[in-house]
PDB file of all heavy atoms in Angstrom:
ATOM      1  N   PRO A  41      65.788 110.808 109.925  1.00 38.00           N
ATOM      2  CA  PRO A  41      67.164 111.283 109.876  1.00 38.00           C
ATOM      3  C   PRO A  41      67.224 112.750 109.509  1.00 38.00           C
ATOM      4  O   PRO A  41      66.385 113.260 108.788  1.00 38.00           O
ATOM      5  CB  PRO A  41      67.782 110.431 108.740  1.00 38.00           C
ATOM      6  CG  PRO A  41      66.606 110.090 107.879  1.00 38.00           C
ATOM      7  CD  PRO A  41      65.434 109.962 108.794  1.00 38.00           C
ATOM      8  N   ILE A  53      72.947 126.807 121.690  1.00 32.00           N
ATOM      9  CA  ILE A  53      72.551 128.171 121.420  1.00 32.00           C
ATOM     10  C   ILE A  53      72.789 129.008 122.664  1.00 32.00           C
ATOM     11  O   ILE A  53      72.400 128.622 123.760  1.00 32.00           O
ATOM     12  CB  ILE A  53      71.071 128.238 121.024  1.00 32.00           C
ATOM     13  CG1 ILE A  53      70.838 127.345 119.804  1.00 32.00           C
ATOM     14  CG2 ILE A  53      70.610 129.647 120.756  1.00 32.00           C
ATOM     15  CD1 ILE A  53      69.399 127.239 119.410  1.00 32.00           C
ATOM     16  N   ASP A  76      59.259 130.924 129.714  1.00 50.00           N
ATOM     17  CA  ASP A  76      60.259 131.977 129.520  1.00 50.00           C
ATOM     18  C   ASP A  76      60.535 132.131 128.045  1.00 50.00           C
ATOM     19  O   ASP A  76      59.984 131.418 127.205  1.00 50.00           O
ATOM     20  CB  ASP A  76      61.541 131.595 130.275  1.00 50.00           C
ATOM     21  CG  ASP A  76      62.462 132.775 130.495  1.00 50.00           C
ATOM     22  OD1 ASP A  76      62.090 133.889 130.103  1.00 50.00           O
ATOM     23  OD2 ASP A  76      63.550 132.555 131.074  1.00 50.00           O
ATOM     24  N   LEU A  90      61.673 120.827 128.984  1.00 32.00           N
ATOM     25  CA  LEU A  90      61.509 121.328 127.629  1.00 32.00           C
ATOM     26  C   LEU A  90      62.776 121.959 127.095  1.00 32.00           C
ATOM     27  O   LEU A  90      62.855 122.296 125.918  1.00 32.00           O
ATOM     28  CB  LEU A  90      60.368 122.360 127.579  1.00 32.00           C
ATOM     29  CG  LEU A  90      58.989 121.864 128.005  1.00 32.00           C
ATOM     30  CD1 LEU A  90      57.964 122.961 127.782  1.00 32.00           C
ATOM     31  CD2 LEU A  90      58.592 120.629 127.228  1.00 32.00           C
ATOM     32  N   PRO A 104      82.820 141.792 125.169  1.00 37.00           N
ATOM     33  CA  PRO A 104      82.153 142.574 126.216  1.00 37.00           C
ATOM     34  C   PRO A 104      80.779 143.039 125.773  1.00 37.00           C
ATOM     35  O   PRO A 104      80.589 143.464 124.640  1.00 37.00           O
ATOM     36  CB  PRO A 104      83.109 143.761 126.416  1.00 37.00           C
ATOM     37  CG  PRO A 104      84.453 143.244 125.992  1.00 37.00           C
ATOM     38  CD  PRO A 104      84.165 142.275 124.874  1.00 37.00           C
ATOM     39  N   GLY A 158      79.391 148.705 104.227  1.00 95.00           N
ATOM     40  CA  GLY A 158      78.599 149.317 105.272  1.00 95.00           C
ATOM     41  C   GLY A 158      77.375 148.512 105.663  1.00 95.00           C
ATOM     42  O   GLY A 158      76.833 148.696 106.756  1.00 95.00           O
ATOM     43  N   GLY A 167      75.101 137.147 113.863  1.00 97.00           N
ATOM     44  CA  GLY A 167      74.235 137.488 114.981  1.00 97.00           C
ATOM     45  C   GLY A 167      72.882 136.807 114.925  1.00 97.00           C
ATOM     46  O   GLY A 167      72.283 136.509 115.967  1.00 97.00           O
ATOM     47  N   PRO A 173      76.554 125.460 112.753  1.00 97.00           N
ATOM     48  CA  PRO A 173      77.720 124.654 113.137  1.00 97.00           C
ATOM     49  C   PRO A 173      79.034 125.171 112.568  1.00 97.00           C
ATOM     50  O   PRO A 173      80.068 125.067 113.220  1.00 97.00           O
ATOM     51  CB  PRO A 173      77.397 123.264 112.583  1.00 97.00           C
ATOM     52  CG  PRO A 173      75.934 123.255 112.346  1.00 97.00           C
ATOM     53  CD  PRO A 173      75.557 124.665 112.015  1.00 97.00           C
ATOM     54  N   LEU A 184      72.150 134.233 100.318  1.00 98.00           N
ATOM     55  CA  LEU A 184      70.738 134.515 100.037  1.00 98.00           C
ATOM     56  C   LEU A 184      70.358 135.922 100.487  1.00 98.00           C
ATOM     57  O   LEU A 184      69.634 136.631  99.779  1.00 98.00           O
ATOM     58  CB  LEU A 184      69.851 133.481 100.726  1.00 98.00           C
ATOM     59  CG  LEU A 184      69.837 132.091 100.084  1.00 98.00           C
ATOM     60  CD1 LEU A 184      69.174 131.082 101.011  1.00 98.00           C
ATOM     61  CD2 LEU A 184      69.122 132.117  98.729  1.00 98.00           C
ATOM     62  N   LEU A 212      61.242 136.654  85.913  1.00 97.00           N
ATOM     63  CA  LEU A 212      62.422 136.039  85.311  1.00 97.00           C
ATOM     64  C   LEU A 212      63.481 135.724  86.363  1.00 97.00           C
ATOM     65  O   LEU A 212      64.155 134.696  86.287  1.00 97.00           O
ATOM     66  CB  LEU A 212      62.976 136.955  84.221  1.00 97.00           C
ATOM     67  CG  LEU A 212      62.049 137.164  83.021  1.00 97.00           C
ATOM     68  CD1 LEU A 212      62.681 138.121  82.006  1.00 97.00           C
ATOM     69  CD2 LEU A 212      61.700 135.837  82.345  1.00 97.00           C
ATOM     70  N   THR A 222      61.331 123.593  80.343  1.00 97.00           N
ATOM     71  CA  THR A 222      60.818 123.934  79.026  1.00 97.00           C
ATOM     72  C   THR A 222      61.393 122.977  77.991  1.00 97.00           C
ATOM     73  O   THR A 222      61.995 121.959  78.332  1.00 97.00           O
ATOM     74  CB  THR A 222      61.143 125.412  78.704  1.00 97.00           C
ATOM     75  OG1 THR A 222      60.490 125.784  77.503  1.00 97.00           O
ATOM     76  CG2 THR A 222      62.639 125.650  78.577  1.00 97.00           C
ATOM     77  N   HIS A 355      58.520 157.136 100.258  1.00 89.00           N
ATOM     78  CA  HIS A 355      58.699 155.725 100.597  1.00 89.00           C
ATOM     79  C   HIS A 355      57.658 155.352 101.638  1.00 89.00           C
ATOM     80  O   HIS A 355      57.550 155.997 102.679  1.00 89.00           O
ATOM     81  CB  HIS A 355      60.102 155.476 101.153  1.00 89.00           C
ATOM     82  CG  HIS A 355      61.179 155.542 100.127  1.00 89.00           C
ATOM     83  ND1 HIS A 355      61.815 154.421  99.642  1.00 89.00           N
ATOM     84  CD2 HIS A 355      61.714 156.594  99.475  1.00 89.00           C
ATOM     85  CE1 HIS A 355      62.717 154.782  98.736  1.00 89.00           C
ATOM     86  NE2 HIS A 355      62.668 156.102  98.627  1.00 89.00           N
ATOM     87  N   SER A 369      50.345 163.277 113.874  1.00 98.00           N
ATOM     88  CA  SER A 369      51.628 163.924 113.592  1.00 98.00           C
ATOM     89  C   SER A 369      52.675 162.863 113.279  1.00 98.00           C
ATOM     90  O   SER A 369      52.486 161.674 113.597  1.00 98.00           O
ATOM     91  CB  SER A 369      52.084 164.744 114.802  1.00 98.00           C
ATOM     92  OG  SER A 369      52.408 163.880 115.889  1.00 98.00           O
ATOM     93  N   ALA A 373      52.613 159.177 114.964  1.00 98.00           N
ATOM     94  CA  ALA A 373      52.510 158.011 114.082  1.00 98.00           C
ATOM     95  C   ALA A 373      53.689 157.068 114.299  1.00 98.00           C
ATOM     96  O   ALA A 373      53.529 155.839 114.286  1.00 98.00           O
ATOM     97  CB  ALA A 373      52.451 158.462 112.631  1.00 98.00           C
ATOM     98  N   ASP A 387      52.817 138.866 120.796  1.00 98.00           N
ATOM     99  CA  ASP A 387      52.052 137.763 120.215  1.00 98.00           C
ATOM    100  C   ASP A 387      52.977 136.650 119.730  1.00 98.00           C
ATOM    101  O   ASP A 387      52.699 135.455 119.922  1.00 98.00           O
ATOM    102  CB  ASP A 387      51.182 138.262 119.061  1.00 98.00           C
ATOM    103  CG  ASP A 387      49.979 139.064 119.527  1.00 98.00           C
ATOM    104  OD1 ASP A 387      49.662 139.019 120.738  1.00 98.00           O
ATOM    105  OD2 ASP A 387      49.355 139.745 118.687  1.00 98.00           O
ATOM    106  N   ASN A 403      63.331 118.809 117.419  1.00 96.00           N
ATOM    107  CA  ASN A 403      63.506 119.674 116.250  1.00 96.00           C
ATOM    108  C   ASN A 403      62.552 120.873 116.278  1.00 96.00           C
ATOM    109  O   ASN A 403      62.885 121.948 115.782  1.00 96.00           O
ATOM    110  CB  ASN A 403      63.371 118.885 114.946  1.00 96.00           C
ATOM    111  CG  ASN A 403      62.156 117.986 114.909  1.00 96.00           C
ATOM    112  OD1 ASN A 403      61.236 118.120 115.716  1.00 96.00           O
ATOM    113  ND2 ASN A 403      62.139 117.037 113.971  1.00 96.00           N
TER     114      ASN A 403
END
Side-chain angles (χ1 to χ4, degrees):
I53 303 175
D76 198 2
L90 300 185
L184 286 168
L212 295 179
T222 188
H355 288 254
S369 68
D387 286 346
N403 48 15

